[in-house]
Amino acid sequence: MEEGDLGYNLSDKGRYDYKLVQEAIEGSQSAYAELMHRYRDSIYFMLLKMVNNRDDADDLTIEAFGKAFKRLEQYTPNYAFSTWLFKIASNNCIEIGRAHV
C-alpha cells in the first residue's frame, strides 16, 4: 500500500483485519467468524471490567459485534478495526448504563 491508499498507515495486523472486513462486506461468513474470533475475548474482558457482571458482559459483547457487523460498511481504515470495534462496544455499554439509571 502507498500513502494515497486507504489503510496505508495500518500495521500488518490492521491491514489483515481490513482485508477481513472487506471480505465480510462481500458476504464471507468465515471473515465474520475470524473477526469475532480475533476480538471476542478482548471485547468481553473490557466490558467485564466496565460492568463487573459476567452475564451482562457476555450480552454486551454479542451486542457490540451485532452493531459493528451491521455497520461494517461504515468502517474506514483511517484507524485500526480493533479501535473502531472497541469504541462501539464501550459506547454501547455506556448507553445501556445510562438507560438503566
Side-chain angles (χ1 to χ4, degrees), residues 3 16 35 64 71 75 91 96:
E3 193 164 324
Y16 183 71
L35 286 167
R71 300 177 187 159
Y75 169 71
N91 285 349
I96 298 294

Side-chain angles (χ1 to χ4, degrees), residues 28-40:
S28 169
Q29 293 302 309
S30 63
Y32 280 111
E34 188 167 350
L35 286 167
M36 190 157 195
H37 175 78
R38 288 168 69 90
Y39 294 106
R40 189 182 198 296

Side-chain angles (χ1 to χ4, degrees), residues 39-92:
Y39 294 106
R40 189 182 198 296
D41 288 349
S42 49
I43 293 291
Y44 170 79
F45 287 113
M46 176 196 70
L47 291 167
L48 182 60
K49 284 181 183 178
M50 292 177 78
V51 298
N52 202 28
N53 178 296
R54 290 179 184 271
D55 291 335
D56 289 346
D58 209 33
D59 290 346
L60 287 165
T61 299
I62 292 165
E63 280 184 33
F65 278 99
K67 284 187 172 194
F69 288 166
K70 190 184 289 185
R71 300 177 187 159
L72 213 47
E73 292 185 14
Q74 295 176 12
Y75 169 71
T76 57
N78 298 334
Y79 39 84
F81 174 75
S82 57
T83 303
W84 184 75
L85 179 61
F86 275 84
K87 191 72 173 166
I88 288 172
S90 61
N91 285 349
N92 186 54

